[in-house]
């Protein structure tokens, strides 16, 4: 007679993890942040500081964009000052033109090839003094009012009067701006702190519920499957990113500057979480847990996903260099946003091909599940491209809110879907290795029969 099947535990690839997930962080973080928000005093204003190269023989160096700020209804204020960085001193004080442009004129202003003609379109012009000793100059103050709708105002510095000597000077500037109410948030950031705190509180509750369901699943199945662990890691990374971003916004509320390191880290972590979830969906589409219980030859996915993650991190870094660019109204604006859109479309095409390949190898039940999986996965992959293009239908001062809230909803929606997919006994559970058992004729996750 044929030898009875025997089982052996695989040491690598797709095997279960016997330990339970640790308890999630409670909602204390969200509560502390909310209480901190109530206790923090308001900032003096948005603080934008940085280097600026101006003057010299190059025509383009005679006029430089400095910053922008969106004002709501009422009368807001701004102030600016500069100091020399290189050279350290000059023979006599120089007077530069500080020019203010309305958003309705800005496209035409940037289109002017002769930069010294741009000042004619300025709604306000002021002189700003460069201290010859290398110390900070006096603050130049002004106010801007609007009564019909919010506007984004653009600020620039000009040396078209050749007040500085004919070589490039490096200056450092400080720019402050406030709303009529004293708020330091530009109009496109209005309500973002509250929205992020609410989202963080809801995410904290979701993490707690997810942990409870995962522990219950582990007790009933005897193990936590690697796909659940992968989803858990992605969500924890998202959670940490959300905490960092909320802390940055709260600090910004306090000093008008925020914690740039936490802002950059939060963007990187958000990207890594999205790459992890995207890779997990493609891996399942290729047949992991559906046609095979371990990764096997699909381990080629790991270096490819690593490369995708590195590219995303590089894009975040490039985007932060252009953080206050005149054209940038949200984090994914400009070239970075378009590259991300193209990458998401390419990953979506890969996902569709993977689903089709797996469906061709499976039975009717698997094909039925893959049709549902393809529909839900399509919604996930196309959410960012759709949101990116949809955001452009709004006025610039609305785009940041639309994109930010849209991304938060997209992240939470994908978490809810994947958690439901992995932790409930639905179609995926029935057609995947998650439903394997110790009963005669069955194969438990991480176990394989041998003749």
């Amino acid at each position: 007679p044929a030898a009875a099947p025997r089982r052996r535990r695989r040491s690598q690839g797709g095997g279960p993890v016997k330990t339970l997930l640790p308890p999630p962080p409670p909602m204390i973080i969200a509560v502390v942040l909310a209480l901190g928000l109530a206790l923090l005093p308001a900032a003096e204003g948005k603080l934008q500081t940085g280097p600026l190269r101006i003057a010299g023989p190059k025509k383009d160096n005679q006029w430089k964009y400095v910053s922008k700020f969106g004002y709501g209804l009422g009368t807001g204020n701004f102030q600016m000052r500069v100091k020399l960085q290189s050279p350290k001193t000059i023979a006599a004080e120089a007077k530069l033109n500080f020019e203010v442009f309305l958003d309705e004129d800005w496209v035409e202003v940037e289109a002017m090839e002769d930069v010294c003609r741009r000042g004619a379109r300025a709604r306000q012009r002021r002189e700003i003094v460069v201290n010859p000793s290398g110390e900070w100059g006096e603050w130049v103050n002004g106010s801007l009012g609007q009564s019909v709708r919010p506007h984004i105002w653009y600020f620039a510095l000009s040396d078209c009067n050749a007040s500085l000597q004919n070589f490039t000077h490096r200056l450092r500037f400080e720019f402050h701006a406030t709303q009529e109410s004293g708020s330091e948030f530009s109009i496109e950031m209005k309500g973002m702190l509250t929205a992020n705190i609410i989202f963080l509180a809801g995410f904290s509750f979701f993490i707690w519920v997810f942990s409870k369901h995962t522990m219950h699943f582990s007790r009933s199945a005897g193990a936590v499957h690697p796909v659940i662990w992968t989803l858990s890691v992605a969500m924890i990374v998202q959670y940490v990113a959300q905490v960092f971003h909320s802390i940055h916004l709260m600090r910004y509320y306090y000093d008008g500057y925020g914690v740039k390191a936490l802002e950059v880290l939060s963007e990187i972590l958000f990207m890594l979480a999205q790459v992890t979830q995207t890779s997990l969906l493609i891996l399942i589409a290729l047949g992991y847990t559906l046609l095979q219980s371990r990764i096997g030859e699909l381990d080629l996915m790991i270096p490819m996903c690593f490369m995708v993650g590195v590219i995303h991190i590089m894009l975040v870094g490039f985007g932060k260099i252009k953080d206050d660019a005149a054209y940038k109204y949200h984090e994914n604006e400009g070239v970075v946003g378009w590259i991300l859109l193209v990458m998401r479309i390419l990953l979506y095409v890969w996902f569709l091909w993977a689903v089709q390949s797996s469906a061709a190898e499976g039975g009717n039940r698997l094909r039925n599940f893959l049709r549902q999986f393809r529909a839900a996965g399509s919604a996930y992959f196309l959410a960012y491209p759709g949101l990116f293009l949809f955001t452009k239908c709004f006025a610039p001062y609305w785009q940041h809110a639309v994109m930010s809230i849209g991304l938060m909803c997209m992240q939470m929606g994908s978490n809810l879907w994947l958690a439901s997919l992995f932790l409930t006994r639905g179609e995926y559970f029935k057609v995947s290795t998650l439903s394997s058992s110790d009963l005669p004729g069955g194969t438990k996750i991480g176990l394989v029969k041998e003749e």
Side-chain angles (χ1 to χ4, degrees):
R6 63 183 179 86
R7 295 175 183 170
R8 66 178 177 86
R9 184 170 301 277
R10 291 202 181 271
S11 58
Q12 295 179 347
V17 183
K18 282 295 184 181
T19 55
L20 296 178
L21 283 173
M27 297 178 66
I28 295 177
I29 295 177
V31 173
V32 169
L33 288 174
L35 291 176
L37 171 61
L39 296 175
L40 286 176
E44 293 182 359
K46 171 188 176 179
L47 172 60
Q48 182 71 27
T49 180
L52 186 145
R53 298 168 67 91
I54 198 167
K58 291 181 64 176
K59 193 72 173 177
D60 288 347
N61 274 357
Q62 295 176 3
W63 187 96
K64 289 290 184 177
Y65 163 79
V66 175
S67 188
K68 66 180 184 294
F69 192 80
Y71 290 96
L73 298 181
T75 302
N77 301 300
F78 64 85
Q79 57 179 181
M80 181 171 167
R81 64 178 180 174
V82 297
K83 76 171 182 176
L84 281 168
Q85 275 198 315
S86 178
K88 298 294 185 182
T89 61
I90 53 178
E93 71 175 27
K95 294 182 179 179
L96 307 178
N97 287 322
F98 183 41
E99 301 168 349
V100 186
F101 301 89
L102 184 62
D103 51 6
E104 296 172 352
D105 305 324
W106 185 248
V107 174
E108 295 179 13
V109 170
E110 285 196 307
M112 293 180 179
E113 294 186 6
D114 185 352
V115 295
C116 286
R117 291 180 54 230
R118 295 176 177 179
R121 300 300 302 270
R123 298 300 179 103
Q124 290 189 21
R125 297 182 70 181
R126 286 175 168 74
E127 282 190 345
I128 188 166
V129 175
V130 180
N131 192 322
S133 66
E135 300 296 325
W136 283 106
E138 295 293 327
W139 286 103
V140 173
N141 302 294
S143 60
L144 295 163
Q146 42 269 311
S147 57
V148 178
R149 69 169 180 87
H151 287 281
I152 296 178
W153 293 83
Y154 300 83
F155 302 86
L157 210 56
S158 167
D159 186 43
C160 290
N161 58 2
S163 180
L164 292 169
Q165 291 181 301
N166 193 30
F167 63 90
T168 302
H169 292 64
R170 286 194 301 164
L171 307 179
R172 189 158 193 87
F173 71 88
E174 283 189 356
F175 173 79
H176 286 194
T178 56
Q179 304 286 354
E180 183 178 62
S181 63
S183 170
E184 80 290 349
F185 284 117
S186 184
I187 189 64
E188 64 268 23
M189 292 288 292
K190 183 178 180 181
M192 284 295 96
L193 177 57
T194 302
N196 275 271
I197 293 296
I198 293 173
F199 179 74
L200 179 60
F203 202 175
S204 300
F205 177 73
F206 173 75
I207 289 284
W208 178 76
V209 173
F210 176 80
S211 177
K212 292 290 186 182
H213 280 275
T214 302
M215 288 188 285
H216 175 73
F217 183 91
S218 177
R219 284 193 293 267
S220 63
V224 177
H225 195 279
V227 294
I228 301 175
W229 273 106
T230 304
L231 176 61
S232 301
V233 170
M235 290 197 300
I236 290 171
V237 170
Q238 279 185 31
Y239 187 82
V240 172
Q242 186 62 43
V243 171
F244 284 174
H245 187 59
S246 298
I247 292 174
H248 162 70
L249 289 178
M250 293 184 66
R251 186 66 184 177
Y252 191 100
Y253 179 85
Y254 173 70
D255 63 7
Y257 188 73
V259 185
K260 294 298 182 183
L262 291 184
E263 183 186 23
V264 173
L265 279 174
S266 71
E267 290 295 324
I268 291 174
L269 292 176
F270 274 132
M271 285 294 184
L272 290 178
Q274 290 183 37
V275 169
T276 302
Q277 288 192 349
T278 299
S279 303
L280 183 59
L281 290 179
I282 294 175
L283 199 60
I284 293 174
L286 286 169
Y288 177 56
T289 72
L290 299 176
L291 300 174
Q292 56 194 72
S293 62
R294 65 184 185 120
I295 292 180
E297 294 180 357
L298 296 179
D299 58 2
L300 293 175
M301 275 282 296
I302 297 175
M304 295 183 69
C305 295
F306 178 78
M307 290 175 60
V308 172
V310 169
I311 293 172
H312 278 74
I313 292 174
M314 292 174 63
L315 289 173
V316 169
F318 178 77
K320 286 302 174 185
I321 294 174
K322 302 288 186 178
D323 212 17
D324 198 47
Y327 64 82
K328 192 169 184 180
Y329 304 111
H330 56 79
E331 292 296 337
N332 297 329
E333 187 69 274
V335 176
V336 170
W338 287 106
I339 294 176
L340 289 172
L341 183 145
V342 171
M343 290 187 65
R344 185 57 67 94
I345 294 296
L346 292 175
L347 290 170
Y348 176 55
V349 171
W350 188 10
F351 170 78
L352 291 179
W353 173 84
V355 169
Q356 190 67 28
S357 299
S358 296
E361 297 181 34
N364 289 331
R365 191 171 190 177
L366 179 59
R367 282 195 289 270
N368 290 334
F369 164 74
L370 286 174
R371 277 195 293 269
Q372 301 173 24
F373 185 67
R374 178 175 57 195
S378 296
Y380 172 78
F381 279 96
L382 296 178
Y384 172 77
L387 179 61
F388 180 80
L389 297 175
F390 178 68
T391 298
K392 294 189 175 297
C393 299
F394 291 83
Y397 55 85
W398 280 112
Q399 291 184 14
H400 186 277
V402 173
M403 176 60 77
S404 297
I405 294 175
L407 287 175
M408 285 189 284
C409 292
M410 182 188 79
Q411 291 161 5
M412 186 55 68
S414 66
N415 289 336
L416 287 168
W417 171 51
L418 290 174
S420 173
L421 190 69
F422 296 155
L423 296 178
T424 60
R425 296 179 183 269
E427 283 301 311
Y428 176 69
F429 182 85
K430 296 174 183 176
V431 301
S432 71
T433 55
L434 273 71
S435 63
S436 301
S437 70
D438 283 322
L439 295 174
T443 303
K444 189 174 175 60
I445 302 167
L447 303 176
V448 64
K449 292 182 179 180
E450 293 182 348
E451 298 297 333

